[in-house]
Amino acid sequence: MEKPNISQEAILNAFNYRHATKEFDATKKLSKADIDFILKTANLSPSSFGFEPWHFVVVQDKDLRELLKPVAWGAPVKLDTASHFILGLSMKAPMTKWDSGYIMHMMKDVKQFPQDVIEMYSGFYKNFQKEDFNLDTDKKLFDWASKQTYIALANMMTAAALNGIDSCPIEGFHQEKTEALLQDKFGIDTSKYGMSYMVAFGYRKAAPPHAKSRRPIDDIVTWK
């Protein structure tokens, strides 16, 4: 594994290049290699305890995209024009609670911890949920999982921008209606997964209407 050697200038250029693309050029499509690369950056993203509480649904079927339009007011133009459209799902309490089968699977089969480490790690995770972060309701556990899933979102969009690929994150949807659609038409078990966001990828149809605006760095950083 080689040490990365990407210049700071190139990285900042990608951050400046990226913008929330409202309409994509429908004639331009990402290659399979490009979308596989973007998804791999999600796969390699960090998560709390390394438990990866996420799932990503790539929606390329036109009929399924049409079904999303009535429940996702922020998405219709993107659904029509984006090369690839992804639903970012986060795990619900039955999957992420400290004693769930999924958590045991992650420790035993994915991380391949020995039994003594499983017992120690499980104890840390139990205490984290019960004491440190007080994750004592299903809603709190889902919100915690969503925080992790957003890390993957940021990494996918940054990786795309570094390759000249545009994106748009979307929270403009009705969560309850969207999850009902996931259950009925997408085959997603919504007792285990909930919608955190949508994100579109493709190539911009036009240049951004204005330059990126941000608060001065001194407004957001305090040194002590």
Side-chain angles (χ1 to χ4, degrees), residues 119-130:
E119 292 173 3
M120 179 184 67
Y121 212 72
S122 182
F124 288 154
Y125 187 49
K126 178 181 179 180
N127 188 70
F128 170 80
Q129 288 192 345
K130 289 180 171 289

Side-chain angles (χ1 to χ4, degrees), residues 134-201:
N134 192 28
L135 302 176
D136 58 351
T137 67
D138 288 0
K139 177 66 164 59
K140 288 181 180 179
L141 278 168
F142 178 73
D143 289 346
W144 170 81
S146 284
K147 290 179 181 179
Q148 319 311 313
T149 308
Y150 272 85
I151 297 172
L153 170 65
N155 286 340
M156 286 192 288
M157 293 193 300
T158 299
L162 282 163
N163 283 265
I165 297 169
D166 292 297
S167 62
C168 186
I170 301 160
E171 288 185 321
F173 58 89
H174 190 288
Q175 193 168 41
E176 184 177 341
K177 291 178 180 178
T178 302
E179 290 191 12
L181 186 64
L182 289 179
Q183 181 79 41
D184 295 340
K185 300 297 183 179
F186 286 74
I188 301 297
D189 185 346
T190 54
S191 69
K192 295 180 178 179
Y193 294 94
M195 179 80 77
S196 288
Y197 55 76
M198 304 173 179
V199 59
F201 291 98

Side-chain angles (χ1 to χ4, degrees), residues 7-98:
S7 73
Q8 294 178 2
E9 181 181 5
I11 294 170
L12 289 177
N13 180 64
F15 272 83
N16 278 301
Y17 178 81
R18 187 215 62 80
H19 83 110
T21 302
K22 301 300 186 288
E23 183 176 1
F24 296 87
D25 184 340
T27 67
K28 296 181 179 179
K29 303 298 181 184
L30 273 67
S31 68
K32 184 179 186 304
D34 283 339
I35 193 61
D36 286 349
F37 160 74
I38 289 170
L39 291 167
K40 189 62 179 177
T41 66
N43 179 225
L44 291 172
S45 292
S47 58
S48 185
F49 285 85
F51 284 150
E52 306 173 44
W54 49 52
H55 188 80
F56 304 96
V57 180
V58 185
V59 186
Q60 298 304 92
D61 184 278
K62 290 184 178 180
D63 291 337
L64 290 178
R65 285 196 183 192
E66 284 296 321
L67 290 176
L68 285 168
K69 289 181 181 179
V71 298
W73 54 266
V77 176
K78 291 86 166 176
L79 286 163
D80 283 338
T81 62
S83 171
H84 288 72
F85 196 88
I86 297 175
L87 309 180
L89 309 184
S90 299
M91 292 181 179
K92 294 184 176 181
M95 300 284 280
T96 57
K97 198 171 180 181
W98 69 271

